[in-house]
Amino acid sequence: MNTELFSNIQPIQRAAALGSMQKADAGASSETGGIFADIFQTAIDNVKTTDADMNEAQYLLATGQLDNPAEATIAATKATAAVELLVQLRNKALDAYSELTRISL
């Protein structure tokens, strides 16, 4: 099995772990936007990485340089999953924001 395909995948960190990292970097996190910005930036970076991997695999497949055509399919599936995760994160954030705006004080 080719471990090179899985080397670029970033694991999703638990929110509690990100919160403790935020407390450790209190000065830096206030400048960058906090835990939500970190989560979204990680998801965006993951989309960029998987999309680049997919494009490279498709290019190699089209030029006949890819020995295993399943690698192109795997790369495309990873890219699709990364985009779907980012869209779901966005949807949940928008839902939470709309709930917060409905709260009357």
Side-chain angles (χ1 to χ4, degrees):
M1 182 172 199
N2 192 350
T3 59
E4 175 180 303
L5 292 174
F6 301 109
S7 64
N8 290 333
I9 295 178
Q10 299 290 330
I12 296 175
Q13 299 174 352
R14 293 188 173 274
L18 287 173
S20 65
M21 287 176 17
Q22 183 179 10
K23 289 177 186 174
D25 298 332
S29 65
S30 63
E31 296 171 6
T32 61
I35 189 170
F36 291 111
D38 293 341
I39 290 172
F40 279 104
Q41 190 60 49
T42 301
I44 290 168
D45 291 342
N46 192 20
V47 168
K48 289 178 183 178
T49 302
T50 55
D51 187 53
D53 292 344
M54 180 190 67
N55 288 338
E56 181 181 353
Q58 288 177 343
Y59 173 78
L60 292 174
L61 181 66
T63 58
Q65 299 174 20
L66 193 62
D67 294 334
N68 186 3
E71 291 179 17
T73 304
I74 292 169
T77 303
K78 285 182 194 178
T80 302
V83 169
E84 288 177 2
L85 175 65
L86 181 62
V87 168
Q88 288 300 320
L89 284 172
R90 183 209 57 179
N91 290 344
K92 292 296 181 181
L94 289 175
D95 289 343
Y97 178 76
S98 66
E99 284 291 322
L100 287 173
T101 57
R102 284 188 234 152
I103 294 175
S104 61
L105 299 175

